[in-house]
Amino acid sequence: MNSSSDEALHSSIATLITELYQETEVEVPNLRRRITPLGDLVGSLNLVSKELPGLSQQVALHYLIQQGVLLENPEEAGRDELAGFLYANTSYGCIFLEANDHLTRRRFSVAHELGHYLLHFRPLLKIAEGDQEYLELIEALYRGRNDDPQETASGRVERMDQRYLEQRLPPEARMEYEANQFATELLMPETVVRGLFARVMLRFNEDDLLSYLATEMLVSQEAMRWRLRNFHLLPLLASKFERGKEAE
Amino acid sequence: MRNHPSDFSQQLAREKALYLYISAFERGDTDKMEAVLKQAMYDPQLEEMIMEAHEYYLAEEKVKLREEDFAKILDLVVRYLPSGIPDEEEAIAIPPLTVGDVFGKLQEDKSIQGSVKQEVQQVNAKLTQTDVPLPENLAMKSVYRLFEQLGVVVSAKLQKLFREKAIFLSMTRQQGIAQLAATRRQKTQRHQKPQQEEEKES
């Protein structure tokens, strides 16, 4: 992906996140309230989130059948272990999470699925509604080693019939990248990360700094490391210690 | 005038099929219902008898179907019986989901136990208007305002459960309406085809 398309994506995600906070009337994270209020955001849309142990596509769809949302289990529902799963129809949706994942992983999964919902599903569902077409969309986030956006997110968006998707959505890999980027920017807003970093960079070594920032924002250290590298803050930190050593 | 013997045996077969259908309907045995509906696809009289039975059950017996059963039966009927598909004007007749529907669902949910279960029963008993339609926007704030308007105090936990059930019910309803619309479109297309062919021939 070239830098100009990256910039365009960053800009459109920033706009989408601003609109999300406006639409939901939820307080935007700041240096005082650093943790992204994911529960409030999801709860302010027509979405529910549900934690299920042993999450797979089959488990999630079975739950929807129990709730009467689906009449029958689509054939060949996957049994692969999932970290997240999104089901949405015309106006409503459900985000499923693996109940046994640790908190930061679950938070990343919610943010990733919310990204798919806002970036890819909702616009398409609105078009379909205008066309008087009924759509059901699903997305599966397969389990990675951790919630480092570079290491996870082999997800897949599907529809119970694929025709609509192929014509109107970006390629799979692109959508996954976009959803990860959305999750990263939602969970670790640039102003908060930079502000906290500036406050504490002189007090900690790299490991402690990562641990502090990750804890303050309720994300994994891997995700925070990735975010800081994106802002070119980690090399600065390394050079700070090198300068320190030289001085000794 | 007496029926011809073959008419009589046909009618007997229909009555037997209707009996099987109603028994299956009462038991919620959709497989058996489906088998009878397939038969009715080729027998307009049996189809009429089944539709009359449905009207009776819904009107006289005041059957309160669970949303998923409603969706299943609707799916079966519109799949097999052309007369089961309402016309465009009748389409609006599907009633909106109400607060009472959601409380009905909450009361059925066996996973709800203890103090929340008690609260569900208490709030349900206090509600003077259960036929209040659910808002389309089911955000937490919207649910909070709904209970405020209804004049009942509901715990945050129950509001969350209510919202969850309401969203699942709304999803089910959207699916049912979409299936109905799709079947109606197919029906219209089926009607239009012979007309177009006739026009071409003339």
Side-chain angles (χ1 to χ4, degrees):
Chain A
M1 194 163 299
N2 62 39
S3 63
S4 67
S5 72
D6 246 356
E7 275 171 27
L9 176 64
H10 169 76
S11 161
S12 67
I13 286 176
T15 307
L16 191 63
I17 290 174
T18 306
E19 287 169 356
L20 173 65
Y21 281 106
Q22 283 168 353
E23 178 188 344
T24 57
E25 297 172 0
V26 170
E27 190 182 348
V28 182
N30 51 46
L31 283 172
R32 196 171 47 84
R33 295 170 71 100
R34 297 143 191 183
I35 297 169
T36 300
L38 278 181
D40 290 348
L41 290 172
V42 171
S44 299
L45 299 166
N46 274 344
L47 289 175
V48 285
S49 68
K50 200 81 208 159
E51 294 183 359
L52 298 176
L55 183 65
S56 66
Q57 186 171 334
Q58 197 175 50
V59 165
L61 294 179
H62 181 70
Y63 182 85
L64 291 171
I65 289 170
Q66 281 181 327
Q67 296 300 319
V69 175
L70 294 178
L71 298 179
E72 54 198 36
N73 212 340
E75 283 172 21
E76 298 167 12
R79 294 183 183 195
D80 293 339
E81 287 183 355
L82 301 178
F85 183 80
L86 170 63
Y87 169 91
N89 70 8
T90 312
S91 311
Y92 305 93
C94 184
I95 293 173
F96 291 94
L97 303 167
E98 168 53 58
N100 294 320
D101 277 341
H102 57 80
L103 180 62
T104 56
R105 169 74 256 196
R106 276 179 285 145
R107 282 176 58 78
F108 186 84
S109 302
V110 174
H112 175 94
E113 298 303 351
L114 188 58
H116 273 300
Y117 184 72
L118 296 171
L119 285 161
H120 310 127
F121 282 23
R122 204 159 68 162
L124 190 59
L125 290 166
K126 276 186 182 161
I127 293 171
E129 200 181 2
D131 292 347
Q132 293 188 316
E133 277 269 354
Y134 174 71
L135 276 190
E136 279 174 318
L137 296 166
I138 57 176
E139 199 276 337
L141 175 63
Y142 293 89
R143 293 188 83 173
R145 277 171 288 170
N146 50 45
D147 48 358
D148 176 348
Q150 287 185 313
E151 290 188 5
T152 43
S154 52
R156 196 166 63 229
V157 177
E158 290 174 34
R159 187 210 165 188
M160 279 119 185
D161 107 50
Q162 286 280 340
R163 183 175 52 88
Y164 229 81
L165 283 187
E166 285 163 8
Q167 293 168 353
R168 293 173 168 84
L169 285 176
E172 289 295 333
R174 171 79 188 173
M175 282 195 286
E176 288 312 306
Y177 178 77
E178 289 176 357
N180 280 341
Q181 202 58 38
F182 177 90
T184 301
E185 296 193 19
L186 185 71
L187 294 173
M188 295 171 281
E190 183 170 355
T191 50
V192 181
V193 173
R194 284 187 186 278
L196 277 182
F197 179 85
R199 277 189 188 180
V200 298
M201 64 173 286
L202 294 172
R203 286 172 28 205
F204 294 124
N205 64 29
E206 183 176 316
D207 285 347
D208 290 346
L209 178 81
L210 279 173
S211 169
Y212 173 81
L213 292 179
T215 308
E216 285 296 306
M217 301 188 75
L218 227 52
V219 296
S220 74
Q221 289 191 35
E222 290 80 9
M224 183 55 75
R225 189 191 303 277
W226 190 76
R227 190 67 164 149
L228 292 179
R229 279 187 189 148
N230 265 2
F231 295 146
H232 307 292
L233 293 175
L234 278 188
L236 275 179
L237 194 66
S239 60
K240 177 192 82 156
F241 282 108
E242 278 160 20
R243 282 199 299 273
K245 277 180 190 166
E246 281 167 16
E248 283 168 14
Chain B
M1 198 170 74
R2 290 185 64 183
N3 281 342
H4 191 271
S6 66
D7 287 347
F8 179 74
S9 61
Q10 272 181 356
Q11 188 58 21
L12 202 65
R14 281 183 196 116
E15 284 170 13
K16 197 176 163 187
L18 181 67
Y19 172 76
L20 287 173
Y21 181 84
I22 290 171
S23 309
F25 175 72
E26 286 173 345
R27 288 195 311 275
D29 180 351
T30 48
D31 289 341
K32 181 62 78 181
M33 286 170 71
E34 187 164 1
V36 180
L37 287 169
K38 276 180 185 166
Q39 199 182 325
M41 282 171 78
Y42 307 102
D43 186 345
Q45 277 173 278
L46 176 59
E47 179 187 334
E48 199 181 325
M49 287 159 76
I50 289 173
M51 294 315 296
E52 278 175 10
H54 269 292
E55 277 169 28
Y56 170 79
Y57 263 81
L58 292 170
E60 303 297 325
E61 296 281 318
K62 305 281 181 216
V63 175
K64 183 73 182 154
L65 291 173
R66 291 188 309 163
E67 188 65 24
E68 61 260 43
D69 291 339
F70 174 77
K72 270 183 196 165
I73 292 167
L74 188 65
D75 176 51
L76 287 176
V77 171
V78 298
R79 200 185 307 165
Y80 296 114
L81 303 186
S83 62
I85 308 166
D87 292 330
E88 289 294 334
E89 302 82 57
E90 291 175 66
I92 314 298
I94 297 173
L97 285 170
T98 64
V99 171
D101 291 330
V102 183
F103 267 97
K105 193 84 180 164
L106 285 168
Q107 281 182 312
E108 279 171 18
D109 192 335
K110 289 185 179 122
S111 69
I112 299 173
Q113 300 279 329
S115 60
V116 183
K117 191 179 175 68
Q118 277 183 343
E119 194 185 357
V120 169
Q121 286 163 347
Q122 284 165 359
V123 175
N124 195 31
K126 272 186 210 165
L127 285 173
T128 48
Q129 289 174 284
T130 52
D131 57 350
V132 173
L134 282 183
E136 204 169 300
N137 175 358
L138 286 168
M140 287 186 301
K141 281 178 189 165
S142 175
V143 170
Y144 176 82
R145 278 196 293 270
L146 175 68
F147 284 116
E148 226 175 28
Q149 283 163 9
L150 291 169
V152 282
V153 179
V154 177
S155 70
K157 194 168 183 181
L158 181 53
Q159 280 186 39
K160 193 177 166 220
L161 276 174
F162 178 91
R163 177 176 174 272
E164 199 176 291
K165 288 281 180 230
I167 286 183
F168 285 131
L169 277 177
S170 302
M171 279 177 158
T172 308
R173 178 57 60 93
Q174 281 190 339
Q175 196 185 53
I177 290 171
Q179 278 177 346
L180 197 63
T183 317
R184 199 182 299 122
R185 275 204 295 273
Q186 281 174 359
K187 182 192 172 194
T188 313
Q189 281 165 3
R190 274 203 299 271
H191 278 292
Q192 280 171 347
K193 260 190 182 173
Q195 276 178 0
Q196 283 167 353
E197 278 163 16
E198 272 175 29
E199 279 167 12
K200 268 185 191 174
E201 280 171 17
S202 65

